[in-house]
Amino acid sequence: FFFLTESSSVGQEQVPVPVYHPTPSQTRLATQLTEEEQIRIAQRIGLIQHLPKGVYDPGRDGSEKKIRECVICMMDFVYGDPIRFLPCMHIYHLDCIDDWLMRSFTCPSCMEPVDAALLSSYETN
């Protein structure tokens, strides 16, 4: 979900501190987040976990329409790669899209909000 760039010492071990993006342009260590930002990030993680995931299988249909590349990392999908499906039907490598969605809750291909209805129902509860 996040880049591990900072570390702190616990005894003799170096323990990585997760880095989050409260907004797409901000980067902060988990230890520097406000309570409100922590809640928003926890809600976002929960929403991401509700998006369907699967395993890439090009199947028997070798049509040209078939998506063959993750537009985030630009790498071809390989049979068995873990993938996540967005409501707009675009697919991405699981790790690529989960990291993307922690920064921006829009599809990187069509810029559609990933699920505004689900997000608003979370925020009103």
Side-chain angles (χ1 to χ4, degrees), residues 24-69:
S25 61
Q26 288 182 306
T27 302
R28 287 220 288 284
L29 292 172
T31 53
Q32 298 171 326
L33 295 172
T34 66
E35 187 175 340
E36 182 180 301
E37 289 168 342
Q38 290 174 26
I39 291 167
R40 258 200 333 264
I41 287 169
Q43 287 175 331
R44 184 165 285 202
I45 290 169
L47 290 170
I48 292 169
Q49 296 309 310
H50 280 88
L51 295 169
K53 57 185 175 179
V55 172
Y56 184 74
D57 181 359
R60 294 180 295 279
D61 177 20
S63 72
E64 291 304 307
K65 295 186 302 191
K66 190 77 173 173
I67 299 167
R68 293 196 168 93
E69 178 184 82

Side-chain angles (χ1 to χ4, degrees), residues 13-122:
E13 290 183 54
Q14 287 289 313
V15 178
V17 176
V19 174
Y20 289 101
H21 304 272
T23 67
S25 61
Q26 288 182 306
T27 302
R28 287 220 288 284
L29 292 172
T31 53
Q32 298 171 326
L33 295 172
T34 66
E35 187 175 340
E36 182 180 301
E37 289 168 342
Q38 290 174 26
I39 291 167
R40 258 200 333 264
I41 287 169
Q43 287 175 331
R44 184 165 285 202
I45 290 169
L47 290 170
I48 292 169
Q49 296 309 310
H50 280 88
L51 295 169
K53 57 185 175 179
V55 172
Y56 184 74
D57 181 359
R60 294 180 295 279
D61 177 20
S63 72
E64 291 304 307
K65 295 186 302 191
K66 190 77 173 173
I67 299 167
R68 293 196 168 93
E69 178 184 82
C70 174
V71 301
I72 297 171
C73 68
M74 308 298 277
M75 299 293 291
D76 285 342
F77 290 113
V78 176
Y79 179 85
D81 280 351
I83 58 172
R84 191 174 297 281
F85 303 87
L86 297 189
C88 56
M89 302 307 294
H90 289 114
I91 65 169
Y92 303 93
H93 287 121
L94 186 75
D95 291 342
C96 295
I97 194 61
D98 287 0
D99 185 54
W100 173 278
L101 292 171
M102 287 303 294
R103 298 168 189 242
S104 172
F105 222 57
T106 57
C107 173
S109 295
C110 64
M111 301 314 283
E112 284 291 314
V114 168
D115 200 328
L118 184 58
L119 187 58
S120 66
S121 73
Y122 252 75

